[in-house]
């Protein structure tokens, strides 16, 4: 066997000791900004798109025969062309377009998985009227309302999407990451197991802070008519996660995790499953007694590492787990 | 000379070939979260504090004699103790407290520079009423309005402060960084100089995007009665920066930079000087012609590197430049 | 159902709409430096340890009952105590100690997964003799060979380990990440599939650069006598990966991936499976013709994003895939 | 005044309240890989180049008149073209070429500052001979010694250069960053000043670890014949820094800083000044007593934040300080 022969299939033979397992390829992190001009009012979508394709790819691995390979450069081009042709109604809808296209775009491509991150922007508020103010005089083309094409990154959490299609079945997962939240009270931690290495003291009032990563799977079978309003659905899920975090009197971060997941499933009928990853961003009470001061839950050290890491899946009764456990 | 003799001064002698220049030391990046409990309503300040002290420090450098050294651990302790004792009315006010304290806290300490980053949080909106909804039942201590102690990081720009005091003169610089803004039109770039290495095409309509770092210096002499309302002043400066960015029809990023700086000075009477650093976050129009599509300023590639970097200082007429050019 | 009731089990009932799926928890990123003092010669291990435990954890999720929870703080303490008690012979051996301990440390703990990153250091070479040189005079405790306790981070790739134990079966995965490699020739790319979105030109000579992430699974059943010399095994695997990358005349990155994986399996008899993730770090030839210059594969732009991403598993014939596809 | 008038100079008048201060612009972070093909043996330089130009730039700031602006895109092109035309003998030599070119390239350009980072690579060692081994068969163009064009990033410290030229005077600063070093003994810390906020205990044996950033200025006046061998000079400075760190019995990090700086100046006759920034990467001894274990300086927690930060300049006797204090 010569793994690097320039063309031809993998030769059979007694010396064969290895074989190819799961594999995929594509262009990762294609940065796309899509502008829609509605007269003088502009709308934007700011995305980071990653494509992963798989299928009949033995030859390229065994011998470098690229005839089955739709290049990663082509997948990038397709992202940009589709953004023009189809627009970006939502990350989910755009990912569905792309996934449907890639499967079968070459005979070898049997499965496509599209991941997207979306960054949020807000319109810059109209400046307070400062007629004649220097530095902002609108020339040479005065606009009555400049802010209609001016935006600031909100910097808040990143919206995520992962759509997988194998020619038959769809899996649409929506999600978010980088959502940092904190309750400054209504969190306790006590009654835990003790072993010879346990030194932690119980507490009846602590800060509970975390950085939410959540992915929820929709019961969507590919019928365009039945598709949720993806933007509206995502906003609802985000609101429910926040409400559950804020509204849960917490005895453990696991309990909060379950409450957050359960609430999304209960409030969004088309969500079958959700997985959450919640690092416990420890805020330690600083000992001020050496300085003659009492720290009545007012002054905290926000620690970086190590951190507790709580991960779990919540399922609708009757649903099968399908979100991969990747952590 | 033995640079590492455990005690004693630097011995004179013919072999002396080196001497100490500017030096400073302190604890960097002390992470502080300060909670104020106003009944059931909590307020938070989330800071990253860096202290740099300087003064009569020859002995520790020449011979390791630490008798003049207030340890960096002590500066950290002081940050936490002062957060309790004095509170954090604003980053600037807190930094002034610390700087005044450190100068003279040991006979050797002649100058203190305090830098802070502040991260912004917003209250989590009250959950939509879901009486009896699982996952959020308020137990064991029901609260009528849970959100009063629940927060989400806005993730927007970081507020910065730098206060320097040498026992006599104060320098208070407020600022921000990580403020990402974009105009999707009203930006041109043409008429520039050409040399044999110039290939850039002129454009009459481009995206202008940048990540603003700004630092502005206040005319404040240390008199507590004359201090601005630091939070209000900062919010005003931020709003003026945004208004100038959004409201300037731009022929170059330098022009936008000047407009932003000038507007802050014109609108905030106590600001004498401002320095801006504006990376040009290039958004390149994607060529869709190979796919038979016309890209009418709708589909852009957001590039990472390289990027243009435009930096400059704007001064009030009559003011002397005092913000260090550190870039 | 009240998911947040402070104590007690999950109540049964018709309203139950959700249930708990896969879950795990533990302390992540515990930073440990272990020093061994062999007389004046010191040895170090620099690790980042993450523990994930799972088992009978329904109560804590459903009701915040922590009685089954060995705290993440305890897992951190255990890492440090075991580093003292058992030493760190290798990341794999240390992880095996920890995993064996955690399973059963509380009745609820049924499975432990230990991940480690190890950072490499090298000894600082003895300084060239400079008798009487200032700044380095060895006082007050002269050492004949100072470098025996002095180290510099090599900065090279990070070694990784993941050990999973469920009370019966072991899975030991060794690996590395951040290994950046480049061939400046002997790489071609042509003969690929074309579709309407394909614009990429074929090339017979390109730079091939990637940042290797690799994880390989050992056929080790938990019998201490049969354990490989983990350090030696890891060094061998690394060398084979490099040799295969350097020695493969590449017609596609997939071919190089397979060659790298196959070589590790062929040369290390106890490795059953390996998974590789290879971002194609594009180096684009700069067009110098506008300047009257010919770029004969000498001047390249190293791009950040987007990048091709090639991922795949290579299996020993007869082995079952067991490394989770997490990407 | 209309700061945004499309053309024309800043109009004078009573309303002028602001003026332009220090400013500069250019292309930052142009990533360049330069290959030299010496027969089958290749050599590479991997650089990140940032150009900053300044001069007569009032018009572009005041009115958006770009006629004096050599675009940042042109500076990028020049970097690539010069890499071809002049080669990259060393970062310093390449930066000198660029700086000399830019000053005067347009009438408005009066000063150029070129910064570079260089990343280090090592050749991949020849694979152990494995005749017939699959996966590495050298086809179609067998090479007798594949490694001659195969490289791995060492990952060690980054080499830095900063060259400034104003048409008359040169300033060449060489440096490094990201050099992480550790002494596991021969470090004490005691005898420091105490105040009411001091709680730190004295220690006679601690780990001393830091991440060195150093910049040293050469006495070079622009005469090509007198230029040092930049590569050799840099390697020597690095070796002296390491030797001084390893060889200094340390009573404080300030003492070590001074010893490191003094040694470079003493051993490199053409270095006039050096500035060092040394974060104290704290390694805290873990308290193992709760577990019945004695920690005899063997088990440490490597902390992230906060950290001590020690910065200082060492000058040759008689030299003036010229390296900007930017921290």
């Amino acid at each position: 066997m010569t793994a690097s022969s320039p063309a031809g299939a993998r030769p059979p033979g007694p010396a064969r000791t290895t074989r190819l397992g799961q594999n995929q390829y594509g262009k990762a992190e294609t940065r796309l900004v899509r502008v829609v001009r509605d007269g003088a009012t502009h709308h934007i979508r700011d995305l980071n798109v990653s494509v992963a394709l798989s299928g009949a790819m033995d030859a390229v691995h065994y011998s470098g025969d690229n005839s089955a390979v739709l290049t990663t450069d082509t997948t990038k081009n397709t992202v940009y062309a589709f953004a023009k042709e189809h627009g970006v109604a939502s990350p989910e809808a755009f990912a569905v377009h792309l996934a449907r296209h890639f499967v079968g775009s070459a005979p070898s491509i049997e499965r496509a998985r599209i991941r997207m991150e979306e960054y949020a922007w807000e319109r810059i508020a109209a400046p307070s009227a400062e007629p004649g103010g220097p530095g902002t005089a609108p020339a040479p083309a005065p606009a009555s309302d400049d802010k209609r094409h001016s935006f600031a990154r909100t910097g808040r959490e990143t919206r995520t999407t992962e759509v997988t299609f194998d020619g038959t079945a769809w899996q649409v997962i929506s999600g978010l990451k980088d959502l940092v939240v904190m309750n400054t009270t209504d969190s306790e931690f006590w009654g835990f197991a003790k072993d010879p290495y346990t030194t932690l003291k119980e507490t009846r009032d602590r800060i509970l802070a975390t950085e939410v990563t959540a992915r929820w799977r929709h019961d969507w079978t590919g019928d365009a008519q039945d598709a949720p309003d993806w933007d509206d659905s995502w906003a609802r899920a985000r609101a429910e996660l926040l409400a559950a975090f804020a509204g849960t009197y917490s005895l453990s971060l696991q309990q909060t995790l379950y409450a957050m997941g359960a609430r999304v499933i209960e409030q969004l009928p088309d969500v079958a499953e959700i997985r959450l990853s919640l690092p416990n961003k420890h805020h330690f009470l600083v000992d001020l007694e050496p300085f003659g001061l009492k720290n009545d839950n007012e002054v905290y050290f926000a620690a970086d590492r190590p951190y507790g890491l709580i991960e779990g899946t919540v399922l609708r009764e009757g649903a099968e787990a399908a979100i991969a456990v990747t952590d």
Side-chain angles (χ1 to χ4, degrees), chain A:
Chain A
M1 183 206 111
T2 54
S4 50
S5 66
R10 175 188 179 78
R16 193 169 69 172
T17 57
T18 58
R19 65 185 165 87
L20 181 65
Q22 197 276 353
N23 63 88
Q24 61 197 17
Y25 79 99
K27 193 69 97 189
E29 301 205 38
T30 293
R31 291 281 290 109
L32 161 69
V33 172
R34 176 66 160 95
V35 178
V36 173
R37 296 175 174 228
D38 178 12
T41 301
H42 293 195
H43 306 270
I44 56 173
R45 288 282 188 175
D46 183 2
L47 297 171
N48 192 21
V49 181
S50 295
V51 173
L53 307 177
S54 46
M57 293 290 156
D58 279 11
V60 65
H61 287 87
Y62 290 146
S63 66
D65 174 351
N66 290 304
S67 56
V69 176
L70 195 71
T71 70
T72 67
D73 189 75
T74 295
T75 70
K76 177 196 70 177
N77 287 345
T78 309
V79 168
Y80 286 122
F82 271 47
K84 168 64 184 167
E85 283 187 293
H86 303 286
V88 181
S90 69
E92 287 85 355
F94 187 47
V96 165
H97 266 302
L98 287 165
R100 182 178 283 124
H101 165 80
F102 283 123
V103 175
S105 61
S108 55
I109 310 294
E110 298 164 358
R111 180 180 176 275
R113 189 201 64 203
I114 315 295
R115 283 183 177 160
M116 297 191 187
E117 297 181 345
E118 186 182 31
Y119 313 116
W121 295 77
E122 60 192 1
R123 291 184 187 278
I124 295 179
S128 53
E130 293 290 342
T136 60
S144 59
D145 185 5
D146 274 315
K147 75 180 162 48
R148 289 184 294 180
H149 55 257
S150 297
F151 302 87
R153 272 272 286 265
T154 69
R156 297 202 309 192
E157 71 283 343
T158 301
R159 177 172 168 180
T160 62
T161 306
E162 176 181 310
V163 171
T164 310
F165 181 52
D166 64 2
T168 305
W170 289 90
Q171 185 182 75
V172 178
I173 297 173
S174 299
L176 56 79
K177 61 179 182 177
D178 311 323
L179 173 59
V180 181
V181 290
M182 183 193 316
N183 287 330
T184 50
T185 189
D186 286 2
S187 169
E188 309 186 5
F189 191 53
W190 50 268
F192 42 76
K194 276 84 178 177
D195 79 359
Y197 300 100
T198 302
T199 58
L200 187 71
K201 288 187 174 54
E202 300 190 329
T203 176
R204 301 285 169 158
D205 191 1
R206 64 170 182 173
I207 281 185
L208 187 70
T210 188
E211 181 176 323
V212 181
T213 299
R215 293 181 297 147
W216 52 93
R217 180 170 58 83
H218 299 273
D219 262 339
W220 182 67
T221 59
D223 182 340
Q225 290 181 299
D226 290 342
D229 177 324
W230 298 112
D231 283 353
D232 184 67
S233 172
W234 186 87
R236 181 67 187 275
R238 178 188 187 272
E240 300 297 347
L241 288 168
L242 284 176
F245 177 81
T248 300
Y249 190 102
S250 178
L251 300 174
S252 72
L253 187 47
Q254 280 93 333
Q255 180 196 20
T256 296
L257 180 150
Y258 191 80
M260 293 169 75
R263 183 158 174 142
V264 168
I265 289 178
E266 286 155 5
Q267 302 298 330
L268 282 87
D270 84 314
V271 173
E273 178 186 12
I274 180 169
R275 186 160 179 86
L276 291 141
S277 176
L278 302 184
N280 193 342
K281 296 176 76 74
H282 303 304
H283 285 68
F284 296 114
L285 211 53
V286 179
D287 178 11
L288 300 177
E289 290 196 8
F291 322 122
L293 299 169
K294 180 170 167 52
N295 189 354
D296 203 10
N297 292 349
E298 292 175 305
V299 178
Y300 293 88
F301 162 55
D304 295 312
R305 295 191 297 183
Y307 50 90
L309 183 56
I310 313 298
E311 304 163 293
T313 295
V314 182
L315 293 153
R316 185 177 296 279
E317 277 293 352
E320 291 294 311
I323 300 178
V325 175
T326 60
D327 38 44

